[in-house]
């Protein structure tokens, strides 16, 4: 486990005035970001490489992180890169209770901390992460700084372009910016040789969504978020997951409205669900605290059949604004929040949770199959 004798001190400074002292792990530099958490026992490499976490400091509530290392990543090949949801770490930093100095697993390539150092991502170990998670849940819009001993905030790592716009000592709030240019593909790419073609609008897509589409016999064209949709030929459309405020995504909502004027199947996942909801006329609001875990229970409406889901979001659809030609499809079992909507007559649907389940439960993988069957 962590060897505290070899590590320098580091402090987590929160925007509510609280401070937590621990030991530095990973890269030796200061970073700031939005405070979020994940309650999963496994899947740390998937979460850290998930583009939805960009600009955020991720707290792992489980007591031990890093024991099985980081799986191998070969040439950014999403079909073989199990354990990764993008080609690099997207979190600003991580907070853990304990981290393993070494890893023991047949699929491990390198220890977690070595991966962090190579990717210039700092973190802190030795903090009561369960108490910290409660603090995050009870504090609206909480931000933090990871500050290693002897390190100045003006030397913060600026991995992503939008961070250049922040002043020294300012807490970084990624939702203030349109993050699509940072996380989206730069050019159009085609994968698979299936009979049906799906255009995937890349808002920060997780690789397992692409894997599952290819595994189900689809050809996919991954397109940048700002692509002119009229130039794309496809049997159906998927609006992917991604980071940030869905109302701060340029003209994407307006272009998705054009898709909803047609008749080809459209599926939205997470941020994509919020984009489709906005395009359909619904309104979005920020939650008092987001859904971030691998065990969020949802009900399908009207059957009331329950599923466990993986979620990571701060925004939700206002149920009172769902348009009359759309219906509530899924509802959160805890807070009755909107977890999915479906058009009453056209093949349009969207879910707030992650049916591709990487990482998390596979309960709702059937949604991707249902979407493909409509193509």
């Amino acid at each position: 486990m962590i060897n505290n004798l070899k590590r320098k001190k580091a402090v987590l400074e929160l925007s509510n005035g609280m401070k937590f002292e621990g030991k530095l792990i990973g890269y030796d530099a200061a970073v700031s970001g939005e405070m979020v958490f994940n309650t999963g026992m496994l899947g740390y490499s998937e979460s850290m490489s998930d583009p939805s976490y960009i600009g955020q400091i991720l707290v792992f509530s489980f007591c031990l992180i890093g024991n099985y290392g980081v799986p191998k990543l070969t040439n950014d090949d999403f079909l073989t890169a199990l354990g990764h949801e993008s080609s690099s770490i997207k979190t600003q930093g991580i907070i853990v209770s304990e981290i393993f100095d070494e890893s023991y697993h047949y699929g491990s390539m390198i220890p977690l901390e070595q991966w962090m150092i190579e990717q210039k991502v700092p973190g802190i170990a030795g903090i009561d992460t369960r108490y910290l998670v409660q603090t995050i849940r009870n504090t609206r819009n909480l931000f933090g700084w990871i500050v290693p001993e002897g390190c100045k905030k003006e030397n913060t790592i600026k991995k992503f372009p939008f961070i250049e716009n922040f002043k020294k000592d300012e807490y970084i709030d990624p939702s203030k910016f349109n993050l699509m240019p940072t996380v989206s593909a730069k050019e159009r790419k085609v994968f698979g040789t299936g009979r049906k073609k799906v255009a995937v609008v890349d808002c920060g897509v997780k690789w397992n969504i692409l894997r599952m589409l290819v595994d189900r016999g689809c050809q996919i064209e991954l397109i940048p978020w700002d692509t002119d949709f009229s130039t794309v030929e496809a049997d159906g459309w998927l609006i992917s997951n991604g980071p940030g405020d869905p109302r701060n995504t340029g003209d994407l909502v307006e272009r998705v409205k054009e898709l909803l004027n047609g008749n080809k199947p459209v599926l939205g996942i997470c941020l994509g669900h919020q984009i489709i909801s906005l395009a359909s006329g619904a309104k979005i609001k920020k939650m008092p605290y987001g859904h971030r875990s691998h065990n969020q229970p949802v009900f399908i409406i009207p059957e009331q059949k329950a599923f466990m889901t993986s979620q990571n979001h701060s925004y939700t659809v206002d149920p009172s604004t769902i348009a009359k030609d759309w219906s509530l499809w899924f509802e959160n079992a805890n807070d009755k929040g909107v977890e999915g909507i479906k058009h009453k007559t056209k093949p349009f649907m969207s879910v707030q949770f992650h049916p591709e389940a990487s990482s998390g439960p596979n309960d709702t993988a059937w949604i991707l199959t249902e979407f493909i069957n409509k193509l």
Side-chain angles (χ1 to χ4, degrees):
M1 297 184 188
I2 181 174
N3 186 343
N4 289 331
L5 295 177
K6 297 180 180 179
R7 299 178 184 275
K8 66 191 297 186
K9 294 179 181 179
V11 175
L12 174 65
E13 300 178 3
L14 300 182
S15 56
N16 65 354
M18 298 178 69
K19 293 184 178 181
F20 296 82
E21 184 176 295
K23 298 293 183 178
L24 177 69
I25 58 174
Y27 195 70
D28 188 359
V31 293
S32 177
E34 181 184 10
M35 297 301 302
V36 299
F37 62 86
N38 188 299
T39 61
M41 297 171 65
L42 303 172
Y44 50 81
S45 63
E46 290 94 336
S47 295
M48 291 172 67
S49 59
D50 179 354
S52 297
Y53 282 112
I54 198 166
Q56 298 176 329
I57 296 174
L58 177 57
V59 180
F60 290 101
S61 67
F62 187 62
C63 57
L64 177 65
I65 297 296
N67 57 312
Y68 57 88
V70 177
K72 188 174 183 180
L73 179 62
T74 305
N75 299 324
D76 295 352
D77 181 1
F78 70 85
L79 291 174
T80 61
L82 300 180
H84 296 265
E85 291 305 316
S86 70
S87 61
S88 63
I89 298 177
K90 294 301 189 292
T91 54
Q92 286 286 85
I94 66 169
I95 308 294
V96 302
S97 178
E98 292 193 68
I99 189 171
F100 258 56
D101 285 322
E102 299 180 7
S103 57
Y104 303 93
H105 192 268
Y106 71 91
S108 173
M109 179 179 67
I110 57 174
L112 172 60
E113 187 169 17
Q114 182 182 336
W115 188 43
M116 294 172 63
I117 292 172
E118 291 177 356
Q119 300 266 330
K120 297 185 177 181
V121 175
I124 303 178
I127 287 178
D128 183 348
T129 55
R130 299 197 176 197
Y131 176 69
L132 181 55
V133 165
Q134 291 178 337
T135 301
I136 296 171
R137 281 182 60 85
N138 294 329
T139 310
R140 194 181 182 101
N141 300 329
L142 188 63
F143 305 94
W145 270 98
I146 293 175
V147 185
E149 185 178 28
C151 186
K152 296 181 179 181
K153 291 181 180 178
E154 54 261 38
N155 296 327
T156 182
I157 303 169
K158 298 178 178 179
K159 285 182 63 176
F160 308 113
F162 68 90
I163 296 175
E164 299 286 345
N165 298 304
F166 284 85
K167 300 176 182 178
K168 183 180 69 173
D169 293 342
E170 184 179 4
Y171 288 100
I172 291 177
D173 178 1
S175 67
K176 290 182 178 180
F177 295 90
N178 178 2
L179 302 175
M180 298 298 97
T182 302
V183 297
S184 185
K186 305 305 179 186
E187 59 184 9
R188 293 162 65 162
K189 297 180 181 180
V190 176
F191 305 95
T193 57
R195 185 171 57 87
K196 296 292 185 178
K197 183 178 178 181
V198 178
V200 178
V201 181
D202 186 3
C203 304
V205 66
K206 293 170 69 176
W207 279 356
N208 207 43
I209 294 174
L210 307 181
R211 294 184 197 110
M212 293 179 73
L213 290 173
V214 172
D215 287 346
R216 284 162 170 72
C218 292
Q219 181 185 75
I220 57 177
E221 183 173 6
L222 186 65
I223 63 175
W225 74 281
D226 56 354
T227 299
D228 179 354
F229 294 164
S230 67
T231 66
V232 180
E233 290 292 332
D235 298 302
W237 295 76
L238 189 149
I239 318 299
S240 85
N241 65 288
D245 187 334
R247 297 163 296 190
N248 198 357
T249 53
D251 66 344
L252 182 55
V253 172
E254 293 302 315
R255 285 182 287 119
V256 170
K257 281 183 182 180
E258 298 174 8
L259 297 181
L260 301 185
N261 288 329
N263 293 294
K264 291 184 178 180
V266 181
L267 170 65
I269 295 176
C270 196
L271 179 71
H273 156 74
Q274 298 164 3
I275 295 293
I276 288 176
S277 297
L278 288 169
S280 71
K283 293 184 179 180
I284 298 291
K285 57 184 179 181
K286 190 160 188 179
M287 306 168 72
Y289 43 78
H291 292 159
R292 305 185 193 282
S293 65
H294 294 168
N295 58 352
Q296 282 288 331
V298 303
F299 285 118
I300 192 170
I301 305 297
E303 295 93 331
Q304 290 292 296
K305 184 178 180 180
F307 302 90
M308 297 304 291
T309 67
S310 176
Q311 299 193 24
N312 170 30
H313 63 102
S314 299
Y315 298 86
T316 188
V317 176
D318 182 344
S320 67
T321 65
I322 296 175
K324 62 180 181 180
D325 49 351
W326 291 73
S327 59
L328 180 65
W329 189 17
F330 287 92
E331 183 178 71
N332 191 281
N334 290 329
D335 61 12
K336 306 302 179 183
V338 175
E339 294 286 357
I341 61 173
K342 206 172 190 179
H343 198 277
K344 292 179 179 177
T345 59
K346 293 186 175 184
F348 307 148
M349 52 188 179
S350 66
V351 291
Q352 181 61 77
F353 48 86
H354 288 269
E356 83 289 343
S358 186
S359 53
N362 295 302
D363 291 25
T364 57
W366 57 267
I367 290 172
L368 284 167
T369 302
E370 179 172 319
F371 166 66
I372 292 169
N373 289 340
K374 294 179 182 295
L375 299 178

